[in-house]
Amino acid sequence: MTILGRFIFSLWTVSWLLSSAALAEPVQYCRFGDSTRPNQDVDFCLGLTTQRNSTTGAHNVYLTFTHTRRQLSAKGWTAVGVGDEMKGSLMLIVYGNPSSGEQPIVSIRGSTGHHQPTLLTREQMGGGDLRVLRADWLPAGSSEPAGTVTATVSVLCYSCTLWPGTEISATSGSQPWIWAWNKAQEFDVYDYEAHLKMHAHHAGNGGWGRFYVDMARAESTAKQLPSVPVIRPGVAALGASENPSLSLADWVTHNPVLRLHGFLMAAAFLLLFPAGVFGMRSGSPRAFKYHWILQATASAFTAGGAAAGLTLQHKIDTAHQIIGLALASALGLQAYLGWRHHVIFVRIKRRTWVSHAHIWTGRLIMGAGYVNLLLGLVLRGYSQTYVGLAGSFIGLESLAMVFFVWRQTSKAAAKASVARYKALEAEDGPFIVATPEEQDGESDCGDDDLNVSFREKDKDGK
């Protein structure tokens, strides 16, 4: 081959490699454990690439999944799945004993709810198919302590977007995924249908969480078949995030009942209930009307949000659910107390114990509602950033309400004081301060102990 020919071939090879890289950029999401706390934190990575299947028109999904264990631990399991909840999710679950000389178990399962997932058959894939291309225990890098191994799994899901459960969209900019793990389960036998003990109930490193993948970015449009993704060391996220995209369409279409639940509760406790407080303390002649309309609307939103929440999970076993139901029930009592307070106040023009019970019940409901909103965000696996921002907003709103109520109460007290003064003035009759000459005259008459004397105005005002 001539020098020119070699140059042209080299240039074509480089161009092909660059175009392939541009056309197929695997996305990646990782959660890294702490080597100083062996097996106390979840430690996994997922790499993903997609390509359209020319035969079926659906998309193939190429996955690489790694899970790191320290001290050659044989306990527990780690899983990832498509979707934002277990119901309808296509799950990949990895477990096994790295000291046994056997490959890690890669169990492909599905679930119809929040309970034990079951092994899937090809017939249940909806026209797709799934093949495990690789499953090995590999020693970790030199930076890891001795006894650290990584389960490395490569999977090809043919026509994966035909999956009949949770929608798998090859064009979504924010496809939800879930992960879960159990760090302590000891297996009697390692097989594909082994019974799995439950993950810890709270989100985060405790037991489960969510992440969101830019599937459109991961798609390869090259003519050649892509290779399985290679996990890039130290990269926590590439084309992936712990927070969903801000696309309204993506936000609404994924689990709309859950979105409705969150919207109704957030609108009630972050907008309508506080607005009712501001309305009542506004000093407007229509303050009471503003108050009861806003509070009734907020109560209706809360009832609707509670009903939506109950359809999502019939089993009541979390603090978020218990507090939510207690709040929905307490609103009935609060409405009764508010009505009784109004009836009594209109008659006697002052507060009674019913008034104070209404006020403090309302404050307790608001406080518990704020706490439950944050618990809901944590329960749904939102990142600490989102939860922190929500907590900051709640704190600022609470301070604003406290300041507003204090200021309006001070104004009302001052106004009441002026009104009492004027009432006393009207009761005692009009008066003016006497002149110095009159004071001297009255002193001569023997009223030496008076510093100021008064005289009634005559009818002409003189």
Side-chain angles (χ1 to χ4, degrees):
M1 184 181 289
T2 64
I3 295 177
L4 179 60
R6 290 175 180 173
F7 173 76
I8 293 174
F9 177 76
S10 300
L11 184 62
W12 178 85
T13 302
V14 171
S15 300
W16 179 80
L17 291 172
L18 290 176
S19 63
S20 297
L23 292 171
E25 182 182 30
V27 297
Q28 178 171 313
Y29 176 80
C30 297
R31 292 185 72 93
F32 300 116
D34 185 350
S35 60
T36 64
R37 304 174 65 247
N39 305 313
Q40 297 304 305
D41 303 304
V42 66
D43 195 326
F44 75 89
C45 284
L46 176 71
L48 181 149
T49 299
T50 70
Q51 187 182 52
R52 185 176 180 275
N53 187 311
S54 59
T55 302
T56 65
H59 278 73
N60 300 334
V61 177
Y62 298 77
L63 296 172
T64 296
F65 179 78
T66 64
H67 164 52
T68 299
R69 291 187 180 181
R70 294 171 176 83
Q71 299 176 343
L72 294 175
S73 173
K75 296 180 180 180
W77 52 264
T78 305
V80 292
V82 185
D84 59 3
E85 61 178 345
M86 287 181 65
K87 183 180 180 180
S89 178
L90 176 60
M91 305 179 212
L92 183 152
I93 306 170
V94 177
Y95 47 93
N97 183 356
S99 301
S100 66
E102 300 291 333
Q103 293 180 322
I105 298 293
V106 183
S107 184
I108 309 301
R109 305 194 187 195
S111 178
T112 58
H114 195 72
H115 44 72
Q116 184 74 199
T118 56
L119 195 67
L120 291 173
T121 64
R122 184 174 181 179
E123 290 71 25
Q124 293 174 299
M125 290 293 295
D129 194 10
L130 197 145
R131 302 290 178 84
V132 177
L133 305 178
R134 177 188 185 185
D136 294 302
W137 294 107
L138 300 177
S142 58
S143 61
E144 291 284 351
T148 302
V149 293
T150 298
T152 302
V153 174
S154 296
V155 173
L156 172 54
C157 183
Y158 293 99
S159 299
C160 211
T161 51
L162 295 178
W163 168 246
T166 296
E167 179 187 6
I168 303 176
S169 172
T171 59
S172 173
S174 186
Q175 172 74 51
W177 287 69
I178 54 175
W179 63 264
W181 79 307
N182 177 298
K183 65 182 179 181
Q185 179 176 352
E186 297 183 5
F187 290 85
D188 296 327
V189 60
Y190 292 99
D191 62 33
Y192 296 100
E193 295 185 88
H195 179 81
L196 302 178
K197 292 184 178 179
M198 189 174 176
H199 55 77
H201 215 28
H202 53 285
N205 272 336
W208 69 277
R210 289 187 184 83
F211 59 100
Y212 300 83
V213 171
D214 187 349
M215 300 290 281
R217 176 174 175 171
E219 182 178 8
S220 169
T221 56
K223 293 182 179 180
Q224 67 275 9
L225 295 176
S227 60
V228 293
V230 176
I231 300 298
R232 282 149 283 193
V235 178
L238 183 63
S241 171
E242 293 187 351
N243 300 317
S245 73
L246 297 180
S247 167
L248 181 60
D250 281 341
W251 189 86
V252 171
T253 55
H254 290 294
N255 205 336
V257 177
L258 175 64
R259 307 304 182 202
L260 178 65
H261 168 74
F263 169 77
L264 290 175
M265 289 305 195
F269 285 94
L270 297 181
L271 179 63
L272 294 173
F273 279 130
V277 174
F278 286 112
M280 189 64 191
R281 300 282 185 162
S282 65
S284 167
R286 298 181 178 179
F288 174 70
K289 184 177 182 180
Y290 295 152
H291 178 71
W292 79 257
I293 290 177
L294 286 166
Q295 301 303 73
T297 305
S299 297
F301 271 47
T302 303
L310 288 174
T311 65
L312 294 170
Q313 182 68 34
H314 298 290
K315 185 178 180 181
I316 310 300
D317 58 357
T318 67
H320 176 71
Q321 294 169 312
I322 294 170
I323 294 174
L325 290 176
L327 287 173
S329 302
L331 287 174
L333 171 63
Q334 177 69 345
Y336 172 76
L337 291 174
W339 172 75
R340 285 298 301 162
H341 155 72
H342 178 69
V343 170
I344 296 172
F345 189 86
V346 168
R347 188 173 72 250
I348 65 176
K349 305 300 181 184
R350 62 181 176 83
R351 289 178 176 175
T352 64
W353 70 268
V354 176
S355 310
H356 296 289
H358 177 66
I359 292 170
W360 281 101
T361 301
R363 291 171 179 173
L364 290 174
I365 288 174
M366 285 291 296
Y370 283 153
V371 170
N372 214 35
L373 283 176
L374 297 179
L375 286 176
L377 293 178
V378 172
L379 187 64
R380 296 308 301 173
Y382 281 90
S383 69
Q384 293 181 353
T385 301
Y386 266 39
V387 177
L389 288 173
S392 299
F393 179 84
I394 287 172
L396 291 173
E397 184 175 63
S398 300
L399 288 174
M401 278 196 294
V402 169
F403 175 75
F404 181 79
V405 169
W406 170 80
R407 190 183 69 172
Q408 294 300 98
T409 302
S410 299
K411 284 184 177 180
K415 187 176 180 180
S417 179
V418 171
R420 286 194 298 271
Y421 180 83
K422 289 183 176 180
L424 289 174
E425 183 183 52
E427 182 179 332
D428 294 339
F431 59 88
I432 59 173
V433 179
T435 63
E437 292 79 8
E438 289 173 322
Q439 291 184 38
D440 290 340
E442 289 180 357
S443 296
D444 292 340
C445 295
D447 293 327
D448 295 334
D449 58 329
L450 294 177
N451 294 321
V452 181
S453 62
F454 303 91
R455 62 183 176 84
E456 293 285 345
K457 289 183 180 180
D458 59 22
K459 293 182 180 180
D460 294 328
K462 297 180 181 180

